[in-house]
Amino acid sequence: MQMVDKAALVVGGSKGVGLALCVLLKQQGYQVYSTCRTSTDALQAAQVQVITGVDLEDDSCQQPILQAIGKQKLHLLLVVAGLQHYDTLKTLDRKLVRQQLEVNAVGPLFLVQALQQHLADSAKVVLLASRMGSLTQVDFTAGDVYGYRMGKAALHIAGVTLARDFKKVGIPVGLIHPGVVNTEMYNTLQVAKNTPMEKRGVNTLTPEQSAERIYKLVQGLNLENTGSFWDADKGIRIPW
């Protein structure tokens, strides 16, 4: 395999924001690798290298990735994959809470660990964070969704700790909230919450708009602001 100067890995690129990032990065001249559990027609049409069978709950999920990238160094690692189950205090399910912790925090951490030797000297690592995992920014979704909130909060501290360790080798780590994006996950949550139809999708971003804003923040990510938490929609830092 011929080595390239701009290679990006998008973990979770089959749909939504992940897919939009694959398309955008391809347009920006990156050799794009995208992981998914099962590919989609849209992802195949993006003309990126698709790595199927990657499930962040699986301890060996890094194996197909390592096989696909070979000796290629990654200049950008974006962990986008996530899982959300709607729950309330009455409907909490221990198995589902654990699953969300695995997919949203534990899996990403161990995947970054497995890929650290494959990061270029100039690499950047980005974890798709969420305001729903912030201890202060809960104004627009005041309660419920325990497992998802816990998973994203755990991802945040993992990301901050990674930033401290990776700073020693010159690699910045960013945590980016993609904005409120009109995706399958968003709409599933609105249905579960019985949000009136006329209010669904109001003031949301398209996946393409979110991807553009995320990429702008990625371009500004450096060792001075490594480990910080950003809102892609507004382009500002978010309190933890």
Side-chain angles (χ1 to χ4, degrees):
M1 178 186 296
Q2 183 177 357
M3 302 297 106
V4 297
D5 294 332
K6 290 177 66 175
L9 172 64
V10 179
V11 180
S14 62
K15 57 187 176 182
V17 175
L19 175 61
L21 282 166
C22 287
V23 173
L24 177 60
L25 292 171
K26 181 76 173 179
Q27 293 171 346
Q28 294 296 323
Y30 282 87
Q31 166 69 49
V32 180
Y33 300 86
S34 175
T35 78
C36 56
R37 286 178 296 175
T38 304
S39 189
T40 60
D41 291 342
L43 183 56
Q44 294 292 340
Q47 297 184 332
V48 301
Q49 185 162 341
V50 180
I51 308 170
T52 59
V54 177
D55 187 337
L56 290 177
E57 283 189 271
D58 188 344
D59 289 341
S60 61
C61 69
Q62 72 273 13
Q63 293 304 322
I65 300 173
L66 295 174
Q67 184 177 358
I69 65 176
K71 295 181 180 179
Q72 175 64 56
K73 291 290 187 178
L74 298 172
H75 303 86
L76 180 58
L77 171 57
L78 284 149
V79 182
V80 181
L83 178 67
Q84 182 185 94
H85 292 295
Y86 179 71
D87 52 25
T88 69
L89 193 55
K90 291 183 178 181
T91 65
L92 279 172
D93 183 301
R94 188 182 296 267
K95 182 178 179 180
L96 294 181
V97 170
R98 285 174 172 163
Q99 183 185 34
Q100 289 170 97
L101 284 166
E102 282 286 339
V103 173
N104 294 323
V106 178
L109 173 61
F110 279 89
L111 184 58
V112 173
Q113 180 200 39
L115 294 172
Q116 60 182 320
Q117 300 302 321
H118 294 266
L119 297 175
D121 293 340
S122 59
K124 298 181 179 183
V125 175
V126 174
L127 307 175
L128 207 67
S130 176
R131 281 175 54 178
M132 293 180 72
S134 167
L135 299 183
T136 57
Q137 297 293 298
V138 292
D139 52 308
F140 67 102
T141 49
D144 302 335
V145 206
Y146 285 87
Y148 184 74
R149 293 184 191 280
M150 291 167 65
K152 286 299 184 179
L155 177 70
H156 296 169
I157 189 59
V160 169
T161 309
L162 282 170
R164 293 168 182 164
D165 284 333
F166 275 129
K167 189 171 185 179
K168 302 169 188 175
V169 294
I171 294 176
V173 178
L175 295 108
I176 300 178
H177 168 65
V180 182
V181 190
N182 199 335
T183 61
E184 180 182 317
M185 180 184 287
Y186 166 84
N187 284 292
T188 298
L189 180 61
Q190 301 313 303
V191 171
K193 293 170 60 178
N194 294 314
T195 302
M197 286 297 296
E198 65 271 15
K199 293 186 177 181
R200 296 179 192 176
V202 176
N203 298 322
T204 60
L205 300 174
T206 66
E208 292 75 20
Q209 289 172 328
S210 176
E212 290 173 357
R213 288 161 171 76
I214 290 170
Y215 185 63
K216 183 177 180 180
L217 289 174
V218 169
Q219 289 177 299
L221 178 62
N222 55 50
L223 293 177
E224 295 297 320
N225 57 29
T226 186
S228 51
F229 186 16
W230 295 86
D231 184 330
D233 186 13
K234 299 177 181 178
I236 59 174
R237 291 192 185 191
I238 302 175
W240 296 110

